[in-house]
Every structure is written in C-alpha cells, then in structure tokens.
C-alpha cells in the first residue's frame, strides 16, 4: 500500500511538472496544452503508477521489459497508455507488443520487422502499435537511437509494416552537453520525416533536466521521471 505521504509527494511532483511544462510552452510562444506528458515510471512500484492514474495521468513510460510487463499486467484495468522507451532486443518484441501502446525506441530495420511480426501474431485485435524512430544525437553510440542518415529508411519501413503505424520521432539529448543544438537538429530531422509522412507528428524529447530546451525546439511530448516521482537510483 502506498502511504498518504507518498501520495502527496506524487501529487506535488506532478503539479510542479505540469506547471513547468506550461511555463515552457508560454516561454516558447507555443499554445497552452500543446506539449504532452509521459511520466517515466521505471524503478518505481506499480502502486506509484496507480496513484498517477488516479491523479489523471494517461501516459506512462518504461524502459525494461522485465519490469514493464508485470507492472502493465498489474495495472491492466487502469486505462493507461504504455510507452516503451528503452533499448529493445528483437527477442523481447513478442513480450512488448502485448502491453505497449507506443514503442518510442525503434532504431533499426530489424527491430521494425520483429515488432511487425509480433504485432500481427499477438495483438491483431488491437489498434496498430504506434512507433517512434529513436534518433541518436550523440557521437558516442551505446545509448540507442538510429544514425540520422538512417531515419528515413526506418520510418518508411514502419509506415509499410503490417501491425505498426509511424507516429513520429524520439530522442535523448547527449550527456554533458548543451541540449539546444541537439534538439534543434532533432527538429530538422522531425520536419524531414513529416514531409514524407504527414501524420508522423510526434516529437518525443525532453526529460527532467532539459524539458525547457526540448519545448523551445518543438517537442510535442516530454518524458519526465524524477521531476514527478523523485530521486531514482541509477539503474546502469
Ligand atoms: C529515464 C528516462 C527518462 C526520464 O528521465 P528523468 O531524468 O528522470 O526525467 C526519459 N527518457 C528516457 C528514454 C529514459 O530512459
């Protein structure tokens, strides 16, 4: 059971995060409500996610299948939209398509094919699985994401893959660097993708440390963990 104190903490964090998003929208000259919130619940218990749902959060994000699958199962009746945001091995596609509504971390053609096969076989009765192409904005590989030169090819594969639909792009800012130029680059790539695929208008960018920069550069959705739920011990 979640304590009253924890419940209050989450409510306060959520309110502050929503106020930060609203201030960022205003500072960027963008309409109120134009930036969506995905609360990243990785490492936090299912009880915390249930509190978020009670507080009106619709979208939650998880980055490891082993953790996400049981949490999503425990909260199956909460009406949440589950975003898978972590690096994904093709052998986990089968599991992820069972609970995810959006996979934000599609970064290679091989993964597109694995997700498509799994979606056709195991979620044919549900709407197509929305996919974002994750773009690497870093010169250091290893944190996932496609090289920007490959984004067009991956997007086209998603668009034609049975069981999948192309929703847009996602990125994480480089570590220890100014996020503004990285998010500006992302905005240009996102515009290219939209030119080819007009419906693919999601730009998922911005975390607790850099949401204002992401909103300045056109993010339509931020992914906030610690800003809402508090300190999270490093996972790896
Ligand atoms: C953990 C994580 C986040 C949230 O990070 P915070 O700094 O806690 O807001 C956002 N996006 C991805 C891909 C993550 O793994």
């Amino acid at each position: 059971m979640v304590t009253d104190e924890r419940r209050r903490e989450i409510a306060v964090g959520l309110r502050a995060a929503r106020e930060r998003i609203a201030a960022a929208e205003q500072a960027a000259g963008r309409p109120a409500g134009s930036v969506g919130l995905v609360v990243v619940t990785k490492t936090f218990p299912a009880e915390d996610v249930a509190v978020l749902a009670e507080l009106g959060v619709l979208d939650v994000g998880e980055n490891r299948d082993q953790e996400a699958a049981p949490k999503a199962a425990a909260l199956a009746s909460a009406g949440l939209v589950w975003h898978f945001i972590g690096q994904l091995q093709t052998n986990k596609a089968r599991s992820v398509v069972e609970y995810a509504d959006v996979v934000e971390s599609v970064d290679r053609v091989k993964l597109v094919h694995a997700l498509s096969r799994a979606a056709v076989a195991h979620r044919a009765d549900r709407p197509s699985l929305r996919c974002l192409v994750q773009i690497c904005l870093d010169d250091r590989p290893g944190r996932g994401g496609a090289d920007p030169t490959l984004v067009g090819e991956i997007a086209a594969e998603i668009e034609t893959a049975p069981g999948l639909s192309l929703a847009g792009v996602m990125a994480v800012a480089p570590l220890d660097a100014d996020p503004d130029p990285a998010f500006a680059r992302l905005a240009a790539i996102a515009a290219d993708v939209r030119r080819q695929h007009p419906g693919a208008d999601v730009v998922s960018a911005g975390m607790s440390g850099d949401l204002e920069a992401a909103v300045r550069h056109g993010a339509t959705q931020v992914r906030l963990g610690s800003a809402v739920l508090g300190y999270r011990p490093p996972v790896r």
Side-chain angles (χ1 to χ4, degrees), residues 40 42 44 62-63 85-86 104 134 170-172 206-209 223-228 230 232:
V40 177
K42 66 188 182 199
F44 293 99
E62 286 281 337
N63 73 334
I85 63 171
E104 300 204 6
Q134 183 181 349
M170 180 273 243
V172 177
M207 311 188 354
S208 297
R223 307 177 308 269
L224 305 183
S226 51
V228 175
R232 176 186 66 236

Side-chain angles (χ1 to χ4, degrees), residues 142-156:
R143 294 203 300 153
D147 186 277
T149 60
L150 302 175
V151 171
E153 181 192 352
I154 298 165

Side-chain angles (χ1 to χ4, degrees), residues 157-226:
E157 287 287 335
I158 294 170
E159 183 89 306
T160 56
L164 309 183
S165 67
L166 178 66
V169 298
M170 180 273 243
V172 177
L175 287 170
D176 310 321
D178 179 359
D180 270 283
F183 288 144
R185 192 160 167 231
L186 173 66
I189 300 167
D192 281 342
V193 170
R194 276 198 306 277
R195 262 190 293 281
Q196 297 297 317
H197 312 277
D201 56 2
V202 174
V203 181
S204 175
M207 311 188 354
S208 297
D210 57 20
L211 82 86
E212 286 79 8
V215 170
R216 269 198 295 282
H217 293 285
T220 65
Q221 166 193 300
V222 295
R223 307 177 308 269
L224 305 183
S226 51

